[in-house]
Structures are given as structure tokens and as C-alpha cells.
Amino acid sequence: QVRLVESGGGSVQTGGSLRLACTASGVTWNMHAIGWVRQAPGEECEGVSCVDRNGGNTVYADSVSGRITISRDNDKNTVYLHMNSLKPEDTAVYYCAADSQGLPTTRLTDYDHWGQGTQVTVSS
């Protein structure tokens, strides 16, 4: 059974930083691209970032480019989302997702497995 577990969410003020982590079990970790998707209240889901199976290629949504960095540690089956210069519009539930094709994507339909999400709240 595939299980993705997010951690690291919380509340910060504008300009603050957070590091989210996604740890997986039950999946061939190094065959999957791992991405982050967020959903703000009343909004559609948005693919934020993704890293390929090897960690060598990444993609970012324009809305977060330059402020967020994704990385993976395949020895720990963990992907990190480093978020800096956070804005109130970054407030959302952040979901970790796995894509068995192994290529970086922000397209939601590419993901095969999803975590339960972690809340990020940025106050002004």
C-alpha cells in the first residue's frame, strides 16, 4: 500500500520560511517523480513543484518560482519543499503526490498517489 506523509506545515508571517517534507512507503521510491500540489480555500488545486526520480530535474509554477526550492533525499525516501519569502496567497493545504512516470510535472492528472496534506498559513 502506497503511503505519502507530509509534515512541516504551520503558521508564519509574511516573509517567513517553512520546509515541508514528504516521506513515502509502499512505493518504488526512486522510480517516481514527487511533486507538491496546493489548494487554497475556494480555489482549484495548483501544481507547485516537482522533482524527477533522480533529483536532477525540477519544475516550478510561475507563482512560486524564485521563492521555493524542491529537493529529494533518496536515502531517506523524502522530498523537501523549501519555501521562503512566503506571502498570504501561499496559504493553502499542500499535498505531496507521486508520479510513476518519473518525470517532473505540475499537471495534476499525472500523479498516481497522493498524501493527506499539510496546512500552511501565512498571515500579513
Side-chain angles (χ1 to χ4, degrees):
Q1 181 178 356
V2 176
R3 187 164 181 241
L4 302 174
V5 178
E6 303 94 338
S7 61
S11 297
V12 297
Q13 293 187 328
T14 297
S17 299
L18 283 173
R19 187 185 75 165
L20 306 184
C22 171
T23 302
S25 60
V27 65
T28 309
W29 175 256
N30 59 1
M31 296 300 292
H32 285 73
I34 304 295
W36 290 91
V37 175
R38 69 184 180 185
Q39 186 168 28
E43 301 290 333
E44 294 184 353
C45 288
E46 176 190 22
V48 174
S49 181
C50 187
V51 57
D52 73 353
R53 66 184 75 177
N54 299 316
N57 293 295
T58 57
V59 293
Y60 297 93
D62 290 342
S63 57
V64 302
S65 183
R67 300 187 298 117
I68 287 180
T69 303
I70 192 169
S71 63
R72 70 188 292 163
D73 184 338
N74 283 349
D75 291 336
K76 296 181 179 179
N77 280 18
T78 301
V79 165
Y80 302 99
L81 192 70
H82 308 262
M83 304 191 295
N84 301 309
S85 303
L86 285 164
K87 306 174 182 179
E89 49 264 44
D90 294 318
T91 295
V93 178
Y94 284 71
Y95 298 92
C96 173
D99 168 23
S100 61
Q101 297 300 309
L103 301 175
T105 179
T106 56
R107 192 163 57 195
L108 306 184
T109 54
D110 287 340
Y111 294 118
D112 308 294
H113 309 288
W114 294 78
Q116 294 299 307
T118 185
Q119 176 70 45
V120 171
T121 302
V122 185
S123 58
S124 57

